[in-house]
Amino acid sequence: VFREDFKALLPKLYDHHPETARCHYIIEENQRVRAMVGSFPITLHVNGEELAMRGIGTVSAHPYDRGKGYMSRLMPLAVREAKEHGAALMVLSGNRQRYERFGFARCGTVVQFTMIPENRRHCRAISTDGITLLPLAENMEYLAACAALHDRQPLHARRREERFLEIAQSWNARVYVLLKEAGFAGYCCVNNEGLIQELV
């Protein structure tokens, strides 16, 4: 349906994670999947408090089965069961009008900066001397420092250290360690289009 390689796009959910199969609501006809909604548990940390939440994804119906009302059956089921399991909120991204009827509302702001070589050429006052970027996958000695820095943010979803890299690589991101004068300064996640998805 999405024409995406979900194993590459979301390794945290679909690359050798059979345990996430239980997080899907599915409609089958004649033993074939016709529609699906994923509802994935996430622990959100907000100023030291933990909130249970669900991330909604992989909302899809087979192209030949659209208009049959499958989402009208699956989405309310996912919402009801999330509430029954104590989820304080659910999050998804998508067409607002499509999901408002299931109780979803716009709730966040995204700030996005784009820098292209042309921009950088005109910013002569900015010095990158002493700044080094290293791929985290090839420099795993910085893993614990990256995970600890992530967890010190006042708002963050729980990432166990052993899964930090896998989760940070979601949405086609490459994860880099930032060094300043050879000392650890932070990390960033950059996608295939050069968009910085995370900078800490």
Side-chain angles (χ1 to χ4, degrees):
V1 170
F2 295 103
R3 293 179 175 82
E4 286 282 355
D5 178 357
F6 274 84
K7 186 175 177 181
L9 187 68
L10 292 168
K12 64 182 181 179
L13 299 176
Y14 296 112
D15 188 9
H16 298 96
H17 287 290
E19 73 278 7
T20 64
R22 64 179 173 78
C23 299
H24 293 81
Y25 301 90
I26 293 174
I27 290 181
E28 290 183 344
E29 284 183 4
N30 301 319
Q31 299 180 339
R32 299 187 69 178
V33 174
R34 308 316 291 168
M36 174 170 60
V37 170
S39 178
F40 307 97
I42 300 170
T43 301
L44 188 67
H45 292 258
V46 183
N47 291 325
E49 299 290 325
E50 283 191 0
L51 290 177
M53 65 179 281
R54 296 291 174 97
I56 301 297
T58 336
V59 178
S60 53
H62 191 282
Y64 296 160
D65 294 303
R66 294 198 179 127
K68 291 186 176 179
Y70 291 157
M71 286 307 121
S72 295
R73 292 169 57 192
L74 292 178
M75 287 298 293
L77 178 63
V79 170
R80 185 175 68 248
E81 291 197 0
K83 288 179 181 178
E84 288 171 1
H85 286 95
L89 65 138
M90 301 174 79
V91 64
L92 58 74
S93 61
N95 183 302
R96 188 180 71 198
Q97 288 75 23
R98 176 178 290 166
Y99 296 105
E100 279 179 338
R101 66 188 175 115
F102 301 116
F104 289 86
R106 184 170 22 187
C107 68
T109 301
V110 174
V111 178
Q112 181 174 323
F113 298 95
T114 303
M115 176 157 286
I116 59 175
E118 180 78 10
N119 301 124
R120 179 64 183 95
R121 196 172 74 240
H122 294 288
C123 295
R124 299 190 194 289
I126 297 173
S127 173
T128 55
D129 293 343
I131 304 293
T132 306
L133 291 176
L134 301 173
L136 178 58
E138 299 167 19
N139 298 274
M140 293 297 281
E141 65 271 22
Y142 293 103
L143 176 65
C146 291
L149 186 59
H150 172 270
D151 290 350
R152 283 200 298 271
Q153 297 177 98
L155 175 64
H156 66 277
R158 179 176 20 193
R159 288 181 185 166
R160 294 192 318 269
E161 183 179 322
E162 64 272 14
R163 294 201 59 210
F164 179 87
L165 180 60
E166 178 186 51
I167 293 169
Q169 289 175 325
S170 294
W171 304 105
N172 297 315
R174 295 177 310 282
V175 185
Y176 294 96
V177 177
L178 301 170
L179 301 181
K180 185 171 184 180
E181 307 299 341
F184 178 76
Y187 72 90
C188 65
C189 305
V190 184
N191 74 9
N192 291 340
E193 287 80 44
L195 179 68
I196 298 173
Q197 297 175 177
E198 220 174 307
L199 176 61
V200 185

